[in-house]
Amino acid sequence: MKKYSVIIAGQHSTSISLEEDFYQVLLDIAKEKNTTPFALITEIDLARTTPNLSSAIRVYILKYLQDKLKQF
């Protein structure tokens, strides 16, 4: 697990702890959605229902990949 410094909404600096695999998928999703990782993290932060941003990111990634699998 690694800590990453991120900026939320272009203003708020914080850190997240993610496994390298999760972080790489997060980058891939941002690229696929034609956005920046920080913008994607801001989107996740605004929609989360849990107090932990790192957990919310993992859940977002899981749901995103599950939705992609349903398309096949």
Side-chain angles (χ1 to χ4, degrees):
M1 188 159 319
K2 187 173 176 183
K3 280 197 174 226
Y4 299 91
S5 294
V6 298
I7 299 173
I8 299 173
Q11 301 173 2
H12 177 72
S13 181
T14 190
S15 65
I16 57 173
S17 296
L18 291 175
E19 295 79 3
E20 181 67 27
D21 292 338
F22 276 103
Y23 189 73
Q24 288 303 314
V25 173
L26 181 71
L27 297 179
D28 292 343
I29 293 170
K31 186 175 181 179
E32 185 175 305
K33 294 180 87 169
N34 198 29
T35 190
T36 66
F38 291 155
L40 181 57
I41 291 168
T42 297
E43 176 185 327
I44 295 167
D45 183 51
L46 292 172
R48 70 181 161 133
T49 58
T50 62
N52 186 289
L53 178 57
S54 297
S55 293
I57 292 169
R58 286 187 199 90
V59 170
Y60 175 90
I61 290 169
L62 175 64
K63 288 181 179 179
Y64 184 88
L65 294 175
Q66 287 174 328
D67 288 344
K68 284 193 76 117
L69 283 174
K70 288 178 186 176
Q71 294 174 4
F72 291 106

